[in-house]
């Protein structure tokens, strides 16, 4: 028997179903992976709720995981049975066994454990495009990163610190502030206790920051814009509090000729060479010790609904993994 967490229709966390499924032999271009660990991400909640619709239900959720190849299709030449691999940006990882197109399968270095890979691939490659492609963070930059103690934030703040940046980060509790600080966040802001926009202006002597990374969405969008200096870059890459409301582009002009992007990881790793570039850069910073992956929660795969509830209630920090 093979079990997977699927949705049959969009809904809240209780829409997740622990199903006994049949996994066919891989097609010519596919690789069959036996997962050892699976990652949990906010995008999973968006897909489960229907905010990001998924066609052809029922279908397993989950965008990242790590395991061992059990079978390969007839046209697969660069991957082999028994090889350690991971997935970092492909739907279907909430399963004990699954088939994936060879184009999305990433060889996993021996130095990286399965649980570590499952906890870092989607989040770490997201940090890569945020810090190295959308805005190339350097040693003279002061940046604002929302949810600095979260999955992406924990990796991105360490990575940005290794690049020499000064990091301002928002967090929801004193415990999360201490965690963020231990991971390279120079100035944690408790957003429930102080106005983050005012604090950013204070920390930058009224100038503002060149870039804001915002995965919160509706609740922080306009305040984030006000943290930017003229010609600054607003990166809204998540919707933890709901989608950003509609607005006129003239708002960007009024606030200093700002730039705005709403990226997704899938666009940045659509080409295999870009996927491998992002993955290998991530492997390098983890192997060097510049970025440490903190797995702060573990759940059995059958308890994924509870993991979703805890993630949405902001009870988690760092990375969370599911164990099949």
């Amino acid at each position: 028997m093979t079990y997977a967490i699927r949705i049959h229709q969009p809904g809240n966390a209780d829409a997740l179903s622990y199903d006994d499924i049949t996994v066919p032999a891989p097609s010519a271009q596919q690789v069959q992976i036996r997962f050892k660990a699976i990652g949990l991400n906010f995008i999973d909640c968006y897909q489960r709720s229907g905010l990001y619709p998924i066609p052809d239900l029922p279908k397993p959720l989950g965008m990242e995981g790590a395991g061992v190849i059990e079978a390969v299709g007839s046209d697969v030449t660069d991957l082999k049975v028994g090889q350690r691999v991971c997935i970092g940006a492909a739907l279907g990882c909430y399963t004990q066994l699954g088939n994936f197109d060879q184009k999305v399968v990433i060889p996993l270095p021996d130095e990286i454990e399965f649980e570590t890979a499952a906890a870092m691939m989607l989040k770490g490659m997201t940090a890569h495009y945020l810090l190295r492609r959308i805005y190339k963070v350097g040693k003279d930059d002061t940046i604002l990163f929302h949810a600095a103690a979260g999955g992406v934030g924990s990796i991105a703040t360490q990575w940005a610190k290794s690049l020499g940046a000064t990091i301002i980060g928002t967090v929801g509790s004193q415990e999360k502030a201490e965690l963020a600080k231990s991971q390279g966040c120079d100035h944690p802001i408790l957003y429930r206790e102080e106005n983050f926009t005012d604090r950013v202006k204070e920390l930058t002597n009224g100038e503002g920051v060149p870039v804001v990374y915002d995965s919160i969405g509706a609740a922080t969008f306009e305040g984030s814009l006000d943290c930017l200096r003229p010609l600054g870059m607003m990166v809204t890459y998540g919707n933890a509090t709901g989608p950003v409301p509609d607005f006129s582009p003239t708002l960007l002009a009024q606030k200093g000729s700002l730039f705005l992007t709403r990226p997704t990881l899938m666009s940045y790793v659509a080409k295999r060479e870009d996927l491998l570039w992002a993955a290998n850069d991530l492997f390098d910073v983890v192997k060097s010790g510049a970025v440490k992956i903190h797995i702060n929660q573990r759940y059995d795969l059958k308890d994924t609904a509870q993991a979703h509830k805890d993630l949405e209630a902001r009870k988690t920090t760092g990375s969370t993994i599911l164990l099949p």
Side-chain angles (χ1 to χ4, degrees):
M1 282 192 236
T2 295
Y3 286 94
I5 293 288
R6 303 192 297 177
I7 57 167
H8 294 254
Q9 59 183 16
N12 62 22
D14 293 327
L16 296 169
S17 177
Y18 188 56
D19 295 341
D20 182 2
I21 65 170
T22 299
V23 181
S27 67
Q29 298 287 338
Q30 288 183 324
V31 170
Q32 188 171 93
I33 301 172
R34 173 73 62 180
F35 284 105
K36 303 295 185 182
I38 300 155
L40 178 75
N41 295 279
F42 244 109
I43 191 173
D44 307 347
C45 301
Y46 304 153
Q47 291 169 334
R48 184 211 71 223
S49 71
L51 179 63
Y52 294 175
I54 297 175
D56 304 322
L57 298 178
K59 188 173 289 184
L61 297 181
M63 298 291 291
E64 66 179 347
V68 176
I69 295 177
E70 286 209 348
V72 298
S74 58
D75 293 343
V76 175
T77 57
D78 295 335
L79 300 162
K80 61 183 185 296
V81 172
Q83 187 173 359
R84 303 170 77 252
V85 292
C86 57
I87 300 291
L91 186 66
C93 295
Y94 280 8
T95 185
Q96 295 172 334
L97 185 72
N99 294 326
F100 294 85
D101 190 291
Q102 63 177 333
K103 294 178 182 178
V104 303
V105 179
I106 303 165
L108 182 61
D110 291 339
E111 299 94 327
I112 307 289
E113 296 179 356
F114 290 121
E115 289 193 2
T116 301
M120 77 180 196
M121 293 310 300
L122 186 143
K123 291 174 278 289
M125 292 196 299
T126 297
H128 178 265
Y129 83 73
L130 294 176
L131 301 175
R132 307 310 294 143
R133 297 187 68 182
I134 289 179
Y135 181 93
K136 293 185 178 180
V137 172
K139 63 181 178 63
D140 295 326
D141 287 319
T142 297
I143 68 173
L144 173 60
F145 212 102
H146 286 290
V152 175
S154 293
I155 295 173
T157 51
Q158 294 179 75
W159 203 332
K161 180 54 63 177
S162 76
L163 298 171
T166 299
I167 301 117
I168 304 170
T170 62
V171 294
S173 68
Q174 188 60 49
E175 178 187 6
K176 289 185 176 182
E178 294 301 324
L179 176 60
K181 199 163 189 177
S182 73
Q183 295 174 164
C185 181
D186 298 280
H187 304 288
I189 298 173
L190 293 164
Y191 67 84
R192 292 190 176 101
E193 299 179 13
E194 54 187 332
N195 182 296
F196 73 84
T197 303
D198 292 344
R199 183 69 177 131
V200 168
K201 288 295 182 68
E202 179 185 342
L203 289 167
T204 59
N205 297 316
E207 181 181 352
V209 295
V211 62
V212 175
Y213 298 108
D214 190 336
S215 61
I216 307 302
T220 52
F221 178 71
E222 191 152 355
S224 292
L225 291 178
D226 290 335
C227 290
L228 288 165
R229 69 190 188 194
L231 309 185
M233 171 66 77
M234 173 67 184
V235 187
T236 173
Y237 70 99
N239 310 287
T241 60
V244 171
D246 292 343
F247 68 96
S248 169
T250 57
L251 181 67
L252 302 176
Q254 293 165 0
K255 291 182 180 293
S257 299
L258 304 179
F259 294 88
L260 168 69
T261 182
R262 179 55 176 94
T264 68
L265 173 62
M266 277 59 75
S267 297
Y268 279 85
V269 296
K271 296 179 180 178
R272 182 156 178 82
E273 56 264 35
D274 289 332
L275 174 70
L276 295 179
W277 171 34
N280 288 325
D281 272 6
L282 175 61
F283 292 148
D284 287 345
V285 294
V286 171
K287 288 191 290 185
S288 74
V291 172
K292 295 178 172 60
I293 306 303
H294 300 281
I295 303 172
N296 295 339
Q297 299 80 211
R298 290 174 171 84
Y299 299 81
D300 288 339
L301 182 62
K302 63 182 175 60
D303 296 325
T304 300
Q306 185 61 52
H308 274 229
K309 291 174 183 177
D310 290 346
L311 178 63
E312 291 178 303
R314 292 179 173 75
K315 293 181 179 179
T316 65
T317 58
S319 293
T320 300
I321 60 170
L322 310 171
L323 299 173

